[in-house]
Amino acid sequence: MQFDLSAVETATMVFFGTLVVALVITVFMATAAFSALVLVGVGRLAWVIAASTLLGLVHGINHLWDRLVHHAATVEFPGELRGDFGTDFHGQPAPSTGTYPRVALRDS
């Protein structure tokens, strides 16, 4: 059985043509929206990974610095300091401000 398009009214063909164009536009819009969601998701994931890495790096540096300070607090310099607040400080000359006493780091 053959289908004769000349038997179909013009209004019917316009109606179905409009539906086809609407379907094409809908598919295009849905694809664009899905692509935008994927790109936003990938960007968000990249941001979360970068922020977490940077935050972990900062926490790691802070932790290592804290360990270094606490370790330095336990170090004694023989012959340079007397007691916790020794009176025998040996300073080093500075170019413009006189001398600085050598500082022993304690718990901060």
Side-chain angles (χ1 to χ4, degrees), residues 56-72:
L57 184 65
V58 168
H59 282 302
I61 290 171
N62 285 342
H63 176 70
L64 291 176
W65 181 255
D66 192 44
R67 283 183 52 192
L68 178 70
V69 167
H70 286 296
H71 174 70

Side-chain angles (χ1 to χ4, degrees), residues 5-62:
L5 277 179
S6 62
V8 179
E9 290 186 22
T10 305
T12 305
M13 286 195 292
V14 169
F15 176 74
F16 284 119
T18 303
L19 288 180
V20 169
V21 169
L23 179 66
V24 168
I25 290 173
T26 302
V27 168
F28 175 76
M29 294 281 291
T31 304
F34 182 72
S35 299
L37 284 174
V38 168
L39 288 175
V40 167
V42 168
R44 171 75 177 161
L45 179 65
W47 172 255
V48 167
I49 289 172
S52 298
T53 302
L54 186 61
L55 193 63
L57 184 65
V58 168
H59 282 302
I61 290 171
N62 285 342

Side-chain angles (χ1 to χ4, degrees), residues 55-107:
L55 193 63
L57 184 65
V58 168
H59 282 302
I61 290 171
N62 285 342
H63 176 70
L64 291 176
W65 181 255
D66 192 44
R67 283 183 52 192
L68 178 70
V69 167
H70 286 296
H71 174 70
T74 62
V75 174
E76 291 293 329
F77 299 107
E80 289 192 25
L81 298 175
R82 286 190 193 148
D84 285 336
F85 300 98
T87 57
D88 191 18
F89 288 102
H90 298 286
Q92 296 178 347
S96 63
T97 58
T99 60
Y100 289 117
R102 186 167 293 193
V103 176
L105 296 175
R106 297 289 173 210
D107 282 326

